[in-house]
Amino acid sequence: MNDLVRQHTALSESDLEWLHLLVSEWQLLSDLSFADLVLWVPTLDGTRYVSVAQMRPNTGPTSYQDDMVGHLVPRGRRPLLDAALDEGRIVREGDPEWREEVPVRVESIPVRREGRVLGVIARNTNLLTVRTPSRLELTYLQSASDLAQMIAAGAFPFPGQQVDMDASPRAGDGLIRLDADGIVQYASPNALSAYHRLGLAADLVGQHLGQITAELAPSRGPVDEALVKLASGYAPRETEVEGSGGVIQLRAIPLKPKGTRIGSLILLRDVTELRRRERELITKDATIREIHHRVKNNLQTVAALLRLQARRMDSVRGREALNEAVRRVGSIAIVHETLSQNLDERVEFDEIADRVVAMVAEISPGKVVCRRTGRCGILDAEVATPLSMVLTEILQNALEHAFAPGEHGTVEVAAMRGGPRGQERLLITVQDDGRGLPEGFDPQRAGNLGLQIVRTLVEGELGGTFDMVPGVERGTRVVLDIPVQSQK
């Protein structure tokens, strides 16, 4: 709509915002009218109309099988549009039109803002299934007529009341018509069922909706007075009401077809099951986070016990082995700590990588500098956990074997992520400038426990590849190539 309005019309940005506000609301008018709506705006030179938006009803058959948006019509071809635009009134004169052997009643509703007519809504009703209307349909049509008059007078939509069409209740979800005093004149079957679920035992018709709603909702002191006014339809508002048996979403629309409020429309939706599922999900998420938190605490306890045992050992090799185990357990604990702070089973692995680098670098403080470049991105927990262990083993191996005691050097972890969506891969390179690989060293056959862990995790759990090769100038370069799923 933005492009069409700016290309073909003289409307200002504030006028365009008003049209957007109207379009966010007019599904209600379409459903209440059982009719298609097409918004026509005069072009810059005033010789034609351009259709900038279209809406089909959810409550009846459509009158337009084709998309009308973008069509240009010369002025004079559709007299009802001309009359509504020039005279600023709703035009209903004329016989039904025939479109593909279907009779269609056409009406034109001027769209007014601050005293100016911006465009015209063509309301097209398919008459093929016309029959004697029920009380529900009569209420719908009367409400649609009131809303149409408010649009023509510039009183609808309500400024500053942008509506989420997906989240807000619709006419078919439940509708209540109130008089000026807030007394229920009509309640649709869905609306009555929703109130019965809240705990209402009687009929709604003839009751004061605000008072009934406040009685069904738990007592909240001064808030009850606001709820009474809202459910009485005095102002355009939206809220949720929770009773002993359910939750309903309410939206109030004051009806002022001639400038004075004659009543209100209350749209409502039973959202009991939706809120129940949301609470279950919140509880489930909290439980999962608590589990990760406890696992992290348990792993840290295990690491502390291993560290304590290492300090009491006389054997240097035994102490080193226990310290390696402490770092392995710690890398897993880091992942669980990160998961305990998230709402899903995915983690930002760059944070984990930085903590792993810092943890492993503690074995040679002030001598070898470790740093990370590039970005790993968001990874699933089932990838992050083994990958953190792999990174720990590779860094630990580099710091222990690439440099002599007291020797200064650098270890760089570089990450690069790319590839087509659905086939994305993560490439991690660990480069040191140490002494390099021994002659004849084969990383695929080496019996070192750390390398065995790396091979098993990379090839078995991660489905990737692992290799160790001499650096370009000196040192050793370890390359990990792992498939990952794209995350938004």
Side-chain angles (χ1 to χ4, degrees), residues 117 216 228 312 368 372 439 472:
V117 178
L216 294 173
V228 170
R312 293 174 176 269
V368 179
R372 180 186 63 83
E439 186 176 350
V472 177

Side-chain angles (χ1 to χ4, degrees), residues 85-110:
L85 182 68
D86 298 338
E87 301 173 22
R89 65 180 180 88
I90 299 175
V91 182
R92 296 189 177 93
E93 298 89 351
D95 297 326
E97 298 180 3
W98 287 84
R99 299 176 187 163
E100 299 179 357
E101 300 182 355
V102 175
V104 177
R105 182 176 64 243
V106 181
E107 304 167 85
S108 295
I109 305 168

Side-chain angles (χ1 to χ4, degrees), residues 259-285:
T260 303
R261 193 175 72 87
I262 64 169
S264 305
L265 273 184
I266 305 295
L267 303 179
L268 64 145
R269 174 188 295 162
D270 186 344
V271 293
T272 305
E273 292 302 317
L274 178 62
R275 296 296 175 259
R276 182 184 63 81
R277 291 171 186 167
E278 287 178 351
R279 288 166 184 165
E280 288 180 352
L281 287 175
I282 292 173
T283 303
K284 178 181 177 182
D285 289 340

Side-chain angles (χ1 to χ4, degrees), residues 215-375:
E215 291 172 1
L216 294 173
S219 177
R220 289 173 286 181
V223 181
D224 286 347
E225 185 65 25
L227 182 59
V228 170
K229 290 185 177 180
L230 188 149
S232 299
Y234 287 105
R237 294 287 187 273
E238 191 167 333
T239 190
E240 283 190 5
V241 178
E242 182 171 358
S244 58
V247 184
I248 60 174
Q249 184 181 9
L250 288 180
R251 183 189 174 201
I253 302 174
L255 297 177
K256 303 176 181 179
K258 297 182 180 179
T260 303
R261 193 175 72 87
I262 64 169
S264 305
L265 273 184
I266 305 295
L267 303 179
L268 64 145
R269 174 188 295 162
D270 186 344
V271 293
T272 305
E273 292 302 317
L274 178 62
R275 296 296 175 259
R276 182 184 63 81
R277 291 171 186 167
E278 287 178 351
R279 288 166 184 165
E280 288 180 352
L281 287 175
I282 292 173
T283 303
K284 178 181 177 182
D285 289 340
T287 302
I288 292 174
R289 288 198 298 271
E290 178 63 21
I291 290 173
H292 284 302
H293 182 71
R294 294 189 181 187
V295 170
K296 182 264 297 185
N297 288 344
N298 290 339
L299 289 173
Q300 288 181 337
T301 301
V302 172
L305 292 173
L306 292 174
R307 193 178 295 110
L308 183 62
Q309 184 67 38
R311 290 171 183 170
R312 293 174 176 269
M313 291 195 68
D314 297 329
S315 170
V316 175
R317 294 190 61 183
R319 188 161 53 248
E320 290 177 352
L322 285 178
N323 286 331
E324 288 180 2
V326 167
R327 285 187 284 273
R328 288 165 184 155
V329 173
S331 66
I332 302 175
I334 290 172
V335 177
H336 283 282
E337 182 179 4
T338 306
L339 288 170
S340 70
Q341 301 168 0
N342 293 345
L343 294 176
D344 53 24
E345 290 291 292
R346 295 184 294 171
V347 295
E348 179 65 58
F349 193 77
D350 297 300
E351 300 175 6
I352 294 175
D354 289 338
R355 295 182 62 180
V356 167
V357 168
M359 178 184 68
V360 177
E362 292 177 356
I363 66 176
S364 56
K367 301 172 185 177
V368 179
V369 177
C370 297
R371 60 174 178 263
R372 180 186 63 83
T373 60
R375 184 173 182 274

